Amino acid sequence: MLMPNLFRTVLTTALLAGPLAAQDSAEHASVIVFDASGSMWAQLEDGKSRIEIAREVMDGFADERDADGQIGVVSYGHNRRGDCGDIETVLPVGQHAGSDLGATIRALNPRGKTPLTDAMAQARDLLPRTAESADIILITDGLENCGGDPCALAAEFAAEGIDLRAHVLGFALEENEVQTLSCVPEQTGGQLFTTQSGTELAAALTEVAEIAPATQSVTLAAIDARDGTPLPRATWNVAEDETGETAFDAHDGGRVTLELMPGDYAADVRAPGFEGMAEFTVPERDAPPVEIEMEKTRATLLLRAENADTGATLQGVDWVAINLETEEQVEAATENEEYLPILLPPGDYRIEASRDDMAGAASVSATLEDDPRIDVALAAPEVEIDLAAPAEVRAGVSFDVTIDGANSEKDYLVLAPEDSAEEVSRYQRMDNRVGGDGTQEITAPSDPGDYELRYHLARDNTIAARQPLTVTQADSLMTAPDEVRPETAFDVTVGGGISGYVVIVEEGRAPDDIVSRYDRMKNSVDGDEGTITRTAPETPGTYLLRYHAGDDQRVLAEQTIRVAE
């Protein structure tokens, strides 16, 4: 057949300007509205009828189009004469082989009228709801003669807000006749053609059917060129190879999926310690993933610190990497228990780590080949404390302790019984802070015996120094009259050097039944105070006058007092 070959010639010319490619079936659909009215039997100058030439053109189109594209055919006037309702969907929208499309057109036998408006409306109703864009292609040799308003229908198409283009291919119509249908493409963004031959009809059909290539989803992955490991993050610059126009420029993950038009691209990728470049081509369909091999540009050391005594991983560590050749330093810090990556120029380094008063160091060679894990043990420096204090003191007296070698104002000094537990409460730690080197005044306990001065380090509560100390018995004295009158004041003599309190309690009250804190404070005495005054109770009877130590509430001295009437 002559005409299909002619169609291929027209199609080849069009392809030289830009490839014919159908969009994905889920995205685009086309419906051809084919005029099979009686006028299609009219002959053209070459002696062939319009329907014969149109069949041959459609055969060529069917052979060359992409069979994966969604297409359907609505025809009118091919069943009954004089019937404006003679409209039929002869090929539903779907993926059809070229032979099916060609056979469908060849089977049409022109008979009737030209209800092109209703036929276009029926074509619109055939479009799948999933289609993101669509084309309706009207091929007609006559104007509407069934009372329809194609311009009003085109306005409806435009108002619906869908991406629908309606094209008009006037076949063997005069220019002024075709212009009456110009409202259809004008309102929908379609095209208008006046064709007087098979060659012109084929060219118009080819141009209308050329659908812009669809974007393709392309996955780009940045991988370590050394072992193919995916990188977690990267900075991407993807540009069109021919124009240099940027298609994607962002800081994102090490794996990104982009929507790109088919064509050639160049990717310039950066990641911490890496860089890479790659050229790749996006095909018109089924774009494969692109792996971009990233070359190492900085050595990576993975640093983690641990407690030298317990082996526990430490947080809040400050790091310094010192280049042994250039003496340049790189500082970093970590706040969690993960390995901290630090990027360095290749070379030999001393790695120093510190946290509070703990420190540690390691020597390492940084290379581009490996990313070693470096565990640095941190330990506090040795502290040597000297304590100077008397070997023996009397109970209740104050004495001096001289401290040398302290390096923390939070350390604390405790005087504890020799065999007592070494754990210290938070209150004792705070109440016995030493504040660094110097002389501290301490009061001996009221209870005689063997004691120990213990110097605790605040950093871990360990004892850095200890010294034995003996507390000797104090001669606690208390004298008072044997009998007093109710509610009268009387003198009490106190001595022996132990601070505490002197109170009057009921006869028979247990020694460890301590009076209230208020009474203790109101009746406090200095152990060397001398004469004090107390007031007798208002009720006559026998009472106890007790002298208690202030530190452990022990009874130091006791005397019976009779309150007489």
Side-chain angles (χ1 to χ4, degrees):
M1 296 173 63
L2 174 61
M3 193 56 65
N5 292 335
L6 175 61
F7 185 89
R8 291 189 181 94
T9 301
V10 173
L11 181 61
T12 301
T13 303
L15 289 175
L16 292 176
L20 178 66
Q23 287 180 347
D24 184 271
S25 59
E27 297 178 350
H28 187 84
S30 298
V31 179
I32 294 175
V33 179
F34 190 84
D35 185 348
S37 63
S39 60
M40 286 291 283
W41 284 115
Q43 293 189 346
L44 293 179
E45 294 180 359
D46 58 4
K48 285 188 176 182
S49 65
R50 297 172 184 174
I51 186 62
E52 291 175 307
I53 294 174
R55 287 169 178 166
E56 292 173 352
V57 170
M58 290 303 297
D59 272 339
F61 172 74
D63 288 343
E64 298 298 334
R65 67 174 296 276
D66 186 349
D68 291 336
Q70 297 269 1
I71 195 168
V73 178
V74 172
S75 184
Y76 56 82
H78 58 285
N79 291 314
R80 297 175 296 278
R81 291 185 175 86
D83 185 359
C84 286
D86 184 12
I87 304 170
E88 181 184 2
T89 299
V90 294
L91 192 67
V93 173
Q95 294 177 331
H96 301 291
S99 58
D100 294 337
L101 178 58
T104 297
I105 301 298
R106 287 196 302 274
L108 298 176
N109 187 26
R111 283 187 175 86
K113 299 181 71 66
T114 309
L116 61 84
T117 303
D118 288 344
M120 291 176 64
Q122 183 165 319
R124 184 264 316 274
D125 295 340
L126 285 182
L127 295 172
R129 293 185 178 182
T130 57
E132 297 179 3
S133 62
D135 286 284
I136 293 177
I137 305 170
L138 172 62
I139 302 175
T140 181
D141 77 333
L143 301 179
E144 169 74 44
N145 61 11
C146 284
D149 187 347
C151 293
L153 179 63
E156 289 182 18
F157 289 173
E160 288 174 350
I162 60 176
D163 187 6
L164 169 61
R165 297 179 300 172
H167 312 277
V168 176
L169 279 62
F171 184 38
L173 286 173
E174 297 300 325
E175 179 67 26
N176 62 332
E177 292 179 311
V178 175
Q179 286 301 318
T180 63
L181 297 174
S182 63
C183 57
V184 175
E186 286 174 359
Q187 294 188 84
T188 63
Q191 299 185 71
L192 180 69
F193 297 90
T194 301
T195 64
Q196 299 297 331
S197 66
T199 301
E200 292 177 356
L201 180 60
L205 186 59
T206 300
E207 186 172 345
V208 168
E210 275 190 308
I211 302 168
T215 59
Q216 296 293 311
S217 292
V218 184
T219 298
L220 307 179
I223 63 171
D224 190 332
R226 298 173 300 177
D227 55 14
T229 301
L231 299 183
R233 59 187 182 278
T235 299
W236 298 85
N237 183 274
V238 180
E240 295 180 6
D241 198 33
E242 182 176 350
T243 65
E245 183 177 348
T246 299
F248 180 72
D249 187 7
H251 177 76
D252 214 324
R255 184 184 183 89
V256 295
T257 299
L258 309 180
E259 294 297 323
L260 299 175
M261 295 294 290
D264 295 326
Y265 292 85
D268 185 355
V269 190
R270 298 287 187 272
F274 292 86
E275 62 181 31
M277 297 187 69
E279 295 181 347
F280 61 95
T281 298
V282 178
E284 293 181 357
R285 63 181 64 240
D286 301 327
V290 178
E291 290 187 341
I292 300 172
E293 293 189 347
M294 305 289 287
E295 299 294 336
K296 206 79 169 69
T297 58
R298 283 286 191 273
T300 300
L301 299 181
L302 302 172
L303 307 178
R304 189 171 68 178
E306 61 182 32
N307 188 309
D309 294 328
T310 66
T313 301
L314 297 175
Q315 303 179 31
V317 178
D318 294 321
W319 299 87
V320 179
I322 306 169
N323 189 302
L324 299 181
E325 181 179 356
T326 66
E327 298 185 355
E328 293 182 352
Q329 299 184 7
V330 175
E331 298 181 358
T334 182
E335 296 297 333
N336 54 47
E337 297 183 357
E338 302 297 325
Y339 279 97
L340 171 70
I342 183 171
L343 303 177
L344 304 164
D348 294 326
Y349 288 84
R350 174 177 170 81
I351 306 298
E352 297 179 351
S354 62
R355 177 194 172 201
D356 298 328
D357 58 352
M358 303 176 71
S363 296
V364 63
S365 292
T367 69
L368 298 179
E369 287 73 31
D370 301 304
D371 301 341
R373 294 174 180 244
I374 311 298
D375 291 292
V376 179
L378 272 60
E382 293 293 331
V383 179
E384 295 184 2
I385 301 294
D386 289 327
L387 299 177
E392 183 178 286
V393 296
R394 186 166 52 85
V397 303
S398 296
F399 62 96
D400 291 338
V401 179
T402 302
I403 302 166
D404 183 49
N407 63 358
S408 172
E409 294 185 353
K410 296 181 179 180
D411 293 346
Y412 49 96
L413 182 66
V414 176
L415 179 60
E418 186 177 39
D419 296 328
S420 65
E422 296 181 354
E423 290 80 6
V424 179
S425 69
R426 181 174 180 271
Y427 171 78
Q428 286 178 300
R429 295 197 298 269
M430 296 180 64
D431 195 49
N432 291 282
R433 286 181 176 174
V434 297
D437 285 350
T439 299
Q440 302 288 321
E441 186 179 72
I442 295 180
T443 300
S446 62
D447 191 13
D450 293 328
Y451 288 81
E452 190 174 54
L453 280 167
R454 297 170 180 170
Y455 186 95
H456 291 257
L457 300 177
R459 69 190 187 194
D460 55 10
N461 299 320
T462 58
I463 298 176
R466 61 179 80 215
Q467 179 176 323
L469 183 145
T470 299
V471 176
T472 61
Q473 179 72 47
D475 296 326
S476 299
L477 303 175
M478 182 182 70
T479 59
D482 294 330
E483 183 176 292
V484 294
R485 295 190 61 78
E487 297 185 279
T488 60
F490 62 94
D491 291 338
V492 179
T493 301
V494 177
I498 298 178
S499 298
Y501 52 95
V502 175
V503 291
I504 301 173
V505 298
E506 300 85 356
E507 185 180 31
R509 182 165 179 159
D512 59 355
D513 187 1
I514 308 303
V515 298
S516 69
R517 183 172 180 271
Y518 170 76
D519 285 337
R520 295 197 303 269
M521 295 178 63
K522 185 175 69 171
N523 293 285
S524 64
V525 296
D526 186 326
D528 293 320
E529 193 163 344
T531 301
I532 61 173
T533 300
R534 291 292 180 266
T535 300
E538 65 178 350
T539 302
T542 301
Y543 292 85
L544 296 176
L545 182 68
R546 282 179 176 169
Y547 174 18
H548 288 262
D551 55 358
D552 60 5
Q553 320 300 324
R554 289 183 310 108
V555 176
L556 300 174
E558 183 178 80
Q559 179 181 331
T560 300
I561 293 182
R562 183 173 177 274
V563 178
E565 295 185 2

